[in-house]
Amino acid sequence: MEKKKNHSLRDLLSDRFSGTWRLLSETSLFLSRTPVFSHYENQLRIWRRDLQSAGNRGDIARHVRNEITELRRSLRLQGYDLSLARQNLIIDGFRNDTALGDGFRRVVIFFAEDDIYWLAGEDNHITLADFLERQIESAWRRRSLTIRSKHYLWYRRRGDDLILSGSDTETKEDFKRLKAMGEANSLVILARLRGLQ
């Protein structure tokens, strides 16, 4: 689950100036992508029902909005990054060097026991992987770090979508594993790859 240590002023302002239906929708979407969704599912349903039946009763809508805003504040204080609800991780097939013409860039991503490490650049995937390995070794000199999987990918940002595609260096088995990880942990992966622009 993606946790973010500091919530930004932008997030707080977004809550303040977003409509109640939009806040409910974004909160529902975010929670639906987490393992804690079942804890909130009934409350989200109640809020939706209350808003639908409120009609012209602004007091009900204000009450629901205040409760949603309080839940969002509580989730942020727990470290969750609700802005990730708007983002999508798309793991889409294989590409070759012609992907450069479609706006894709090279990236290598290592899933380690403690985090996700990545390096993007113009060099080929093998060279990028070597650079990343040296960076990790340098940073972790005092203890060993287990890298569980390495992925040689193409990436592209398209609006709220982060598209990852396998390169010629990526094996089909590794790509299949990446897809499974993406389906199970898209918020974590999106958070760790936030810097990919």
Side-chain angles (χ1 to χ4, degrees):
M1 161 82 72
E2 164 49 15
K3 292 193 174 189
K4 181 179 170 185
K5 292 196 166 64
N6 299 317
H7 50 274
S8 69
L9 180 60
R10 183 186 66 143
D11 293 334
L12 296 174
L13 288 175
S14 173
D15 282 2
R16 181 159 175 81
F17 294 108
S18 291
T20 305
W21 277 108
R22 180 175 177 188
L23 285 177
L24 178 57
S25 179
E26 283 183 2
T27 305
S28 298
L29 178 61
F30 175 81
L31 288 170
S32 73
R33 296 169 71 186
T34 70
V36 298
F37 177 66
S38 61
H39 301 294
Y40 299 99
E41 187 175 12
N42 192 48
Q43 184 60 56
L44 294 166
R45 197 175 297 121
I46 291 169
W47 286 335
R48 188 169 302 282
R49 182 203 64 208
D50 289 351
L51 283 176
Q52 287 172 341
S53 63
N56 292 332
R57 296 206 44 206
D59 58 326
I60 293 174
R62 273 190 300 282
H63 176 73
V64 170
R65 180 185 177 78
N66 288 339
E67 288 187 346
I68 295 169
T69 303
E70 182 57 32
L71 171 61
R72 290 171 66 88
R73 188 179 72 73
S74 171
L75 290 169
R76 284 193 185 103
L77 288 173
Q78 293 173 54
Y80 295 109
D81 183 355
L82 278 74
S83 70
L84 293 174
R86 295 183 290 269
Q87 295 185 27
N88 300 302
L89 178 64
I90 300 170
I91 301 177
D92 180 41
F94 282 81
R95 299 181 190 279
N96 57 32
D97 287 352
T98 61
L100 289 167
D102 296 327
F104 282 83
R105 295 188 60 211
R106 290 180 184 91
V107 64
V108 292
I109 302 173
F110 293 178
F111 288 84
E113 60 191 10
D114 70 329
D115 206 349
I116 298 172
Y117 299 90
W118 59 270
L119 182 64
E122 303 300 319
D123 292 308
N124 68 50
H125 286 96
I126 300 298
T127 303
L128 288 173
D130 289 343
F131 285 150
L132 183 56
E133 273 188 49
R134 283 196 298 263
Q135 287 177 355
I136 291 171
E137 286 170 7
S138 173
W140 291 93
R141 255 179 275 156
R142 294 190 186 111
R143 69 178 184 111
S144 65
L145 177 69
T146 303
I147 296 173
R148 301 202 169 160
S149 65
K150 298 178 182 181
H151 300 278
Y152 307 87
L153 307 167
W154 293 96
Y155 82 93
R156 178 179 173 199
R157 289 269 182 195
R158 185 179 60 209
D160 290 331
D161 297 337
L162 172 59
I163 304 166
L164 297 177
S165 297
S167 73
D168 292 335
T169 310
E170 179 83 355
T171 68
K172 288 184 175 158
E173 294 81 25
D174 287 344
F175 191 70
K176 187 176 179 181
R177 189 173 352 167
L178 175 67
K179 255 190 133 144
M181 288 188 296
E183 289 169 6
N185 300 299
S186 65
L187 292 176
V188 172
I189 295 171
L190 284 166
R192 298 302 186 265
L193 301 181
R194 186 185 304 273
L196 273 180
Q197 298 302 323

